[in-house]
Structures are given as C-alpha cells and as structure tokens.
Amino acid sequence: MTDTAALAALIVAAVALLIALLQLTQQLLSTAYVIRKCDRIVTGGLTRGGTRQFHWRQFRFTVRYQTLVFALPWSVYESLGISSTVQPTGVSEKQGIAASKAIVERAVKTRQQRSSAQACWVSLVQDLTLSGCLVGGDTSTKEETGDRIPDDLTVAPMRVDSMTLLLSCIAMGMQVFKYSPTTGEITLSGGLGSVSSSAHPILGGLLHYSVFADEPNVGLEVVKNHARALRGTGGVWANAVFGRFIDRSYRPQMVSFYELIDRKIPLLRASGWPEDAYADKIGGAACFLVFGDVNVYLSAPPSVIRQFNAHFAEVIVRAHHLKLLQLSRSDVEWYTDNYSNPQAFSWITEVDTIQYSSPHHWWLSTIEPRVIKELGTEGAEASRLVVCPSLIELVERSEWMLENDDTVDPSSYCPVSTMWDLICIADICRSNIYRNINNKITWNERKSARRSVEKLVAVSISEIAHVGPPSWGNASTAIKEWPQMFKTSCDEAWLEIEKETDVPMQDMKSYRRMVTLCAEFSILRSAYYTVMMRAAHPLGPGLVEGMSIETSLAYMA
C-alpha cells in the first residue's frame, strides 16, 4: 500500500514537473513571439524568415531577421542635391551583385503568388521590379533584430528613403497628393496601388502600400519607359518632375523652370505679347520659349510645369501636319528614303548614350548629306524637313480628319515616340545651322544670332495668343494661315533686327535665311515638346507647384 502511494506521488510529481517544464518552455519561446511578424509568409519568400537565438545570460530568445533596402542610382540623388537615407550594401562586389540580382528575380517570380499575409513592403518591391524601377544592384538584405519591432505592428517594418519612394511611384503612374517627408506625410495613388502615411510614436513616419491591380492602368510599357528614364538620365527625368531643366543655351546646369520663365517674359513683352491674352497667359508663352532650348528625354515626366503648357502649340503642330498633306508623292518617297536610313542620323545611337536631346550639342551633327544639302538651299523649310516615317504614315492615315475636322488636338492622336523623333530631327538640323553660322561670324554675332532666333519666335507666337487649342473650336483659321502668319511676322521683325546686328550687308541675306530657318526649327521643337508633355496626361499632374526637393528616412509596414 505504501509502495502504491509512493508510486502515485511520484507520478503526480513527474506530471507536475513536466507541466512546469512545458510552462517554462512556453515562457522561453514567448520571448521570441515577434518571429511571427517576420517569418517567410510575411517576407513573401524574398528573404529568409526570422531565426531564434538563445541568450543564456538573459535566459531568453532574441529574433534575427532579414529585410530589404533599395535605392536608385546615385546620380539621381546627386543631381537633385540630396543624399539617399538608405543605401544597399555590398552591391559593388561580385558576390553582392549576384545576390541583388537573385532578389530581383525572386521578386518577379513570387509576385504571381503573393498573398494578403505578406508585408506591404514586399508587394512594393515586387511591383518596383516588375516596372523596372529596381534592377539587380539596387537592392540588398539587411539584418535586423526583432527587439526593434514595436508591439503595435503586425509585421516587421522596412526602412525606405522618401525620395526614392516618391520618384519610383510617380514612374509607376501614381499621382501625388501629399509629400512632406519632414512631417512623414506622404500620399500617392494610382491604378496599380497607393501609398498612405501615419505618424508612429516610435518610428515616426510610417508608410503603407496598398495593392489595387496586377498591372498599371497606364500600361506596363509606359511605366517601363518612365523607369528607364528615371534610372538612366543622370537625374534629368527626376529634376523635370520638380520643374528643373538644363538650358544649354545659357549654361549646362539644372535651373528652376520658374527662373527660366522669368528670363523670357521681358522679351515677350518687348515683342508685342498681348497683356489681355486669355487663351494663353504670358507664362505659357514663356514656357514655349523655354522648351526651345531645354534638354528633352523620350519619356515626358509628370511635372509641376504642366500648368504652363501653351495651348497654341497644338495649333502649330496641326498646321505642320496639314502642311505635310501637301507633299507630293516624290517628296514623300524622298523623305521616307532618307529618314528611314539607319545611318542617316547618328543621334539614334548617341542620344541613347547621353539620354537626352538638345540643339546645343555640337557632337550631334552627323546626318544624311542630302539632308544637309537641303538645309543649305534657298527654299529650305523646317516644316518640310522635320519629318519621320511614322509621321508620314500618321498624316496619311488621318487625312480626312486633318482636312475636315479642325477641333482635334494632336496630343490626342500623335504618339509620343513620333514626337520624340521629330524633336531629335529638329535639334540635329538646328545644331548644324548653328555650326554653319558660327563658322562665318564673330562671337558677339553668334550671341546676336541666338537672340534673333528668340525674337522671331516671340513675335510669331504673339500672333496666335488668343487662339487656344483646336478643341476649343477657334483655331480653324489659325491652322490654315499659320505658315503665312509666321512669314509675315518674321519679315516685320527683321526690320528691327537688321538695325541691331553687326553682320556685314553682303552676308545679311544668308544670315537672315539661316536665322529664320533656325527659328522655325525652334518653334516646331517647342510645339512638339509641349504637345508631348500634354500627351503624357495618364500619369496625372505629378507634384504640386512649389514643392521642395527634400527627403527623409521612413518606415514601411
């Protein structure tokens, strides 16, 4: 009986010990409760899940996990005059580059199986890699400790740079409603998803990314073009988002668009721009003049300058298309033959290298000899030389509309890729004319030639200040009469210009012809760039006016 009681007591004690051990184990494991916030389900398989490490001195588990860090090329931040608050590490080494590429590949692969259980920053990285904003070498993993995860968060946060997030999301087609990195307030939204912010008592700015769709509403190809522009232009695209451009006619540095506009307004007033113009204010006309010289990239970014885009530019482009309808069949064959030749224009490869087009790049000067010869003829017209095969096809396809419907804006039917080709052609021709002029006149006369070009442009556009775009229904007469209006305006302006220039009389006729031709190229270039900016409307307005260039560290969870 005694043995039985002792055995029962032993069993009860063993059970109690087992329960105590289980409770102790449970308590020990509970010290690593944050592991559920960073396991492989949360990280979507992009990084390994959290791991426990036991500390004997503290008699508890700690959790180590991997998160991602990413950044754009350093040239983007340098051009903006800021530094990224987050930078991937080890990506300059061969092993690090391979690991970064593996992350990008996993992001693309796992995107098709993503679930609502994964962290929002995983979904963001997956969408950024799909759009091309992030490539191999932009990302790396970072070891973090679970002790730094606030209790009120359901998933482990990731560090992000506010400017990186802003530019990448704009490239993906999102509109900006609020961007104040210093206060942590960032709100963006688009067809692919949205970014919202809140203030966290520990982390500060806390961002959240919500997925709306599998593909952007503006089209994946458009987004990829913007991603390439964002990454590959040395900051040209990013600066344009904030309204900063390089005007190489003045000095090769980023300048605020508002400063560029201020330089043009006195010239417009002196050239007769009507102060009571209602269709386009003087700011829009100044914007048009600025577009004649600034660097242009294929993908027009959403920018704060869109409110200044001149409406009359649509009229000039429509007049150009109507002019091309009058080409004879032999002319069409001549242009198609010369402009389809891959060797005709060296800018095809060179612009891809420097990532933008400008009429002030002297090395962009190799074009088809027959085109150069055409530039030197007495009857050369820019409207007949700014042509590309896709434009000829477009004009022929739209013949009925161009002849019978004067209310359609070119920004609604002319492809951006076509307008980009035309801008490049105008720049390469104008560059050759500038070089030809510079070889014949002095330095002071060269400066005078530039001023004369701007004067001719300013006087000409003043004639259509009240017209507005074709869609307003008042442009029918202006479209048909624009070529004659340009010629008449130039003839009147030359009466004043000839009195101010020091060019010898025996050279004046040639000088006048080349400067006038240059002005015509400048007008077409500005018109097509303005329309190209308008044609990019699916990406929304971008930033609001006056938004400063600043960044800060934020967290996403």
Side-chain angles (χ1 to χ4, degrees):
M1 187 71 179
T2 305
D3 293 341
T4 303
L7 180 61
L10 180 62
I11 293 173
V12 171
V15 171
L17 177 62
L18 178 61
I19 292 174
L21 289 174
L22 289 175
Q23 289 177 334
L24 177 62
T25 302
Q26 183 184 29
Q27 289 296 320
L28 285 174
L29 291 176
S30 68
T31 61
Y33 74 98
V34 294
I35 198 168
R36 71 178 187 273
K37 299 182 180 182
C38 53
D39 59 17
R40 288 185 62 85
I41 296 177
V42 172
T43 62
L46 289 187
T47 62
R48 60 173 172 78
T51 57
R52 299 181 182 89
Q53 293 179 337
F54 187 71
H55 292 266
W56 286 101
R57 290 185 178 181
Q58 300 179 10
F59 204 67
R60 72 181 182 95
F61 284 100
T62 60
V63 175
R64 303 290 297 180
Y65 69 95
Q66 284 184 340
T67 185
L68 296 177
V69 293
F70 61 86
L72 298 170
W74 67 269
S75 59
V76 175
Y77 307 104
E78 183 183 44
S79 68
L80 292 170
I82 60 175
S83 298
S84 175
T85 57
V86 175
Q87 283 291 344
T89 58
V91 292
S92 59
E93 304 170 359
K94 184 176 181 181
Q95 185 176 0
I97 293 176
S100 180
K101 289 181 178 179
I103 293 173
V104 171
E105 291 172 359
R106 285 200 302 274
V108 174
K109 183 178 179 180
T110 59
R111 187 178 184 273
Q112 300 175 354
Q113 292 88 33
R114 64 184 179 186
S115 66
S116 58
Q118 69 184 32
C120 67
W121 54 263
V122 177
S123 299
L124 175 67
V125 171
Q126 290 170 336
D127 286 345
L128 290 178
T129 53
L130 176 72
S131 66
C133 291
L134 293 183
V135 300
D138 292 339
T139 64
S140 68
T141 57
K142 181 178 177 59
E143 291 287 336
E144 297 279 10
T145 174
D147 293 343
R148 296 176 63 88
I149 302 177
D151 293 336
D152 57 346
L153 295 185
T154 57
V155 296
M158 178 186 73
R159 301 180 183 186
V160 294
D161 177 74
S162 298
M163 182 60 70
T164 304
L165 180 69
L166 174 74
L167 293 175
S168 300
C169 288
I170 289 178
M172 287 198 301
M174 293 190 192
Q175 297 185 28
V176 184
F177 297 98
K178 183 74 174 179
Y179 180 69
S180 179
T182 53
T183 61
E185 297 176 275
I186 300 176
T187 305
L188 308 99
S189 183
L192 192 61
S194 69
V195 176
S196 57
S197 63
S198 61
H200 193 273
I202 298 175
L203 300 179
L206 185 64
L207 307 177
H208 181 78
Y209 178 65
S210 302
V211 178
F212 292 166
D214 290 332
E215 288 195 7
N217 60 330
V218 296
L220 187 57
E221 191 58 35
V222 172
V223 169
K224 287 186 175 181
N225 285 338
H226 282 85
R228 283 192 291 267
L230 169 62
R231 298 179 47 80
T233 58
V236 171
W237 194 89
N239 275 273
V241 170
F242 285 93
R244 284 157 51 90
F245 295 83
I246 294 179
D247 181 355
R248 290 185 176 272
S249 68
Y250 185 74
R251 100 179 27 138
Q253 67 180 28
M254 290 291 178
V255 182
S256 167
F257 191 76
Y258 305 104
E259 181 179 340
L260 295 174
I261 284 180
D262 288 341
R263 295 176 189 166
K264 308 297 183 183
I265 288 179
L267 172 63
L268 283 163
R269 288 195 172 122
S271 301
W273 180 267
E275 293 293 340
D276 61 341
Y278 58 89
D280 282 297
K281 303 297 184 182
I282 195 169
C287 171
F288 188 86
L289 286 176
V290 169
F291 279 170
D293 293 300
V294 298
N295 291 351
V296 177
Y297 191 81
L298 168 60
S299 294
S303 173
V304 297
I305 68 167
R306 286 194 179 172
Q307 60 181 313
F308 292 103
N309 289 353
H311 295 94
F312 61 75
E314 307 261 12
V315 173
I316 296 173
V317 172
R318 275 296 301 264
H320 182 221
H321 295 172
L322 192 62
K323 176 87 172 180
L324 295 179
L325 271 182
Q326 302 169 5
L327 291 177
S328 65
R329 176 51 53 183
S330 60
D331 287 334
V332 171
E333 292 175 354
W334 187 89
Y335 288 123
T336 304
D337 179 44
N338 288 326
Y339 287 80
S340 299
N341 180 5
Q343 303 302 321
F345 293 89
S346 66
W347 94 79
I348 292 175
T349 56
E350 292 179 358
V351 169
D352 286 340
T353 302
I354 63 175
Q355 301 296 342
Y356 55 86
S357 180
S358 169
H360 307 289
H361 269 144
W362 304 113
W363 55 89
L364 294 181
S365 56
T366 304
I367 59 176
E368 172 65 43
R370 284 177 291 183
V371 178
I372 294 180
K373 183 178 179 181
E374 182 74 10
L375 283 173
T377 61
E378 185 70 27
E381 296 180 12
S383 58
R384 296 170 61 86
L385 289 171
V386 179
V387 187
C388 66
S390 61
L391 178 62
I392 292 176
E393 294 175 7
L394 175 69
V395 168
E396 291 178 343
R397 190 170 62 249
S398 309
E399 180 176 356
W400 186 91
M401 181 269 292
L402 292 174
E403 290 183 335
N404 298 282
D405 189 353
D406 294 326
T407 62
V408 181
D409 294 336
S411 55
S412 65
Y413 68 82
C414 191
V416 171
S417 57
T418 297
M419 291 187 275
W420 161 249
D421 285 342
L422 298 173
I423 291 171
C424 288
I425 292 170
D427 282 349
I428 199 72
C429 293
R430 190 168 152 202
S431 168
N432 274 268
I433 296 174
Y434 276 145
R435 188 178 59 179
N436 194 359
I437 293 175
N438 291 344
N439 290 337
K440 297 180 179 180
I441 59 180
T442 65
W443 172 253
N444 288 333
E445 290 169 345
R446 294 176 194 174
K447 294 172 64 177
S448 176
R450 296 275 178 86
R451 289 195 298 268
S452 298
V453 169
E454 283 198 330
K455 176 72 174 178
L456 294 177
V457 175
V459 170
S460 301
I461 62 177
S462 297
E463 297 296 321
I464 50 175
H466 296 287
V467 174
S471 56
W472 289 6
N474 302 320
S476 177
T477 302
I479 291 174
K480 296 177 175 63
E481 296 181 356
W482 167 249
Q484 185 58 42
M485 292 167 64
F486 172 74
K487 183 179 183 303
T488 303
S489 299
C490 288
D491 289 342
E492 294 175 356
W494 272 110
L495 297 176
E496 180 181 343
I497 295 173
E498 288 179 356
K499 298 176 183 177
E500 300 174 352
T501 184
D502 296 328
V503 176
M505 289 303 299
Q506 63 270 21
D507 298 329
M508 180 57 71
K509 183 178 179 180
S510 174
Y511 173 81
R512 175 173 172 169
R513 185 188 65 79
M514 288 191 292
V515 169
T516 303
L517 186 59
C518 230
E520 191 178 359
F521 278 119
S522 179
I523 286 176
L524 285 175
R525 194 231 202 222
S526 296
Y528 274 105
Y529 189 31
T530 302
V531 174
M532 189 167 84
M533 293 294 288
R534 287 189 174 280
H537 62 84
L539 283 184
L543 301 177
V544 298
E545 182 182 357
M547 195 165 286
S548 59
I549 302 177
E550 56 184 357
T551 189
S552 67
L553 177 66
Y555 288 84
M556 178 167 282

